[in-house]
Structure formats: structure tokens, C-alpha cells
Amino acid sequence: MGNKIFNIRMRAAKGGPHEKGGKHISGGEILANYEDIQKAVNDLVEKALTHSRGNPDFMQIQFEEVQMPVQFLAPLSITANHVLSVREGQQLAMQLLRKCGVPSPSIEKAYELIAQPKNVGMRGAMLLHVQSGERVDNRGEKGVRVSRMDWDAANFEKWAIRQEMPRSARVKEAITLATKVASHPEIVAELCWSDDPDYITGYVASEKIGYQRISKLKEFGDERGFRIFFVKDALNLDSYIHYLEKEPTLLYWEEDDEKRIN
Ligand code: PML
Ligand code: MG
């Protein structure tokens, strides 16, 4: 069948499409060979139709051949942090961001943005300038959606067993995304937690600290989730956004992969 790779993407909303004010329900994407496209579509449809944020009344599925060369990355190393409360979790998140080089005033600005009602329900990520804490993407409530990435299921399973991590699609997708984002030299840190009301674990990730899972970053029932990338320099924004949205990345784990954390 050749070695062409296809990107299959899904987005689903309730109350009409996202761009007409619909509530974001679910999104996802898969990189697959031609013969796996059917399965990929089925998996994405199932994800959207069984989502804890509600039943969608709008869904779009799209696929296209990936024309650019694929970069292969080893998954970030994982640290599990168990916290007893949201407060403790959020304090740890802030401490980890500082460790990545994000100054406290920029972290405070990020949390001010998170608290603004207009930023609730964003589908993509906000890009903030690490030194000033100002938002630098101009994508409004849509944000920047990282795309064109995946991790072979069997390889992920092996990794997850070895790392004692949940073998869930959610974990696979989050680590794939965080690894792609962290590998960009201008992105110093990512902060993320889910918008799904039944999922309270989130993370801070970077090349320097790896993927730091934090067991509790919000309360159950809360539908507010966020993804924030801190960028060093706002000048080459178009090139970062092109990397995040368009440049294909696949994760691959080798048993003897060197630990990338120190
Ligand atoms: C999401 O579901 O949108 C993000 C989940 C982030 C945390 C995944 C994990 O490590 O458990
Ligand atoms: Mg979600």
C-alpha cells in the first residue's frame, strides 16, 4: 500500500459548530496508513459520541495525506505527583513552571487569563510570552490546536506497561502532544488540564522537567480545562504555529531509551 501517511481529524460540538458558538465536546486526531483510515474514523466517531461533556449535534471528520516529512521523537520522561487537593496541585504546577524558567508575574498573568469567562471552553492552546506573560497568539477563543501527531498503539502499550501508566487513549494523546510541543526549542513549558468533567489529572511539561503529571488540578464536575504554552520569543510566532499545527510528528519508544530527565 506504499508508505503514505494520512492525518484524520475530528471535532464535535453541541449547539451547532464551534464557529457558530457551539460548546466544544470533543476533538481528536490520528496519523494512519491508508488501510487504517477506516478504523481511525470509527475510533474518532466513538470518542465524540460517548463523551462526558455531552452528546454532540455537530461533528466534522476530515482526512488528508501528509505531505511533509515526519519527525520521530521519544516520549518525554514521566514523573507522577500525587497531591491531596486542587490547591496543592496548582501550587505544584506553579512551582514546576518556575523551574522551567517562567517568572512568577507571568504565571500570575496566566492564571488571570484562565479566570476570565471569555477564555473558558477554548478548543486550542493559548501562547504566552514567557517574560511578559502576555498572550501572543491572535487566535481568540479558538486558540492554537496542535495537530499532525500520533503514537503507534502497540508501542504505546509497551511503554505504558513499563512506566506503570494507564493504557488509555487520553494518556497517549496527552503525552504525544506534550512531547511534540516540548521539543520545539522556543517553547519553555506547557501547563494543561482537561475540560472533561470526569477527569482531574493534568500536567506541566517541558524538555527540562519531562512530563510531570499532577493527580488533581481541578474538582470533579468542573468543565473548565486549559492548555497554555510559554514561548521565549514572540517574533517567530508564525513558525511556531506552523510547527504545532502542521509538522507531522510520531512518537516511538525504545526499551533502552535514555532517560531524558536529570
Ligand atoms: C485532556 O484530556 O484533554 C488532557 C489530559 C491531560 C492529562 C493526561 C494524564 O496524564 O492523565
Ligand atoms: Mg477534552
Side-chain angles (χ1 to χ4, degrees), residues 16-55:
H18 301 84
E19 58 277 18
K20 295 209 170 118
K23 172 190 171 192
H24 176 62
I25 298 292
S26 175
E29 69 152 75
I30 293 172
L31 288 177
N33 297 321
Y34 189 80
E35 54 268 40
D36 295 328
I37 292 175
Q38 176 84 63
K39 181 176 183 317
V41 169
N42 292 346
D43 288 352
L44 291 169
V45 170
E46 187 182 337
K47 179 178 181 188
L49 294 181
T50 56
H51 207 279
S52 65
R53 286 175 64 79
N55 293 343

Side-chain angles (χ1 to χ4, degrees), residues 170-171 174 192 194 196 199 201-203 211 213 227:
R170 182 193 301 276
V171 166
C192 164
S194 180
D196 300 0
Y199 204 81
T201 298
Y203 64 89
Y211 184 96
R213 272 185 112 202
R227 204 161 234 138

Side-chain angles (χ1 to χ4, degrees), residues 143-158:
V144 176
R145 224 170 137 209
V146 188
S147 183
R148 315 286 200 279
M149 66 205 158
D150 208 347
W151 188 356
D152 171 70
N155 186 257
F156 165 74
E157 291 255 320
K158 269 205 291 188

Side-chain angles (χ1 to χ4, degrees), residues 78-97 111 165 171 174 190-194 199-205 209-219:
I78 306 290
T79 307
N81 300 281
H82 293 281
V83 294
L84 296 172
S85 64
V86 174
R87 197 182 146 79
E88 196 192 325
Q90 290 292 357
Q91 274 171 353
L92 176 60
M94 293 181 206
Q95 192 186 319
L96 289 166
L97 288 171
Y111 278 84
M165 285 285 286
V171 166
E190 176 188 355
L191 167 67
C192 164
W193 63 92
S194 180
Y199 204 81
I200 61 172
T201 298
Y203 64 89
V204 175
I209 63 168
Y211 184 96
Q212 297 273 345
R213 272 185 112 202
I214 303 174
S215 60
K216 190 166 188 181
L217 281 178
K218 68 174 195 183
E219 300 293 350

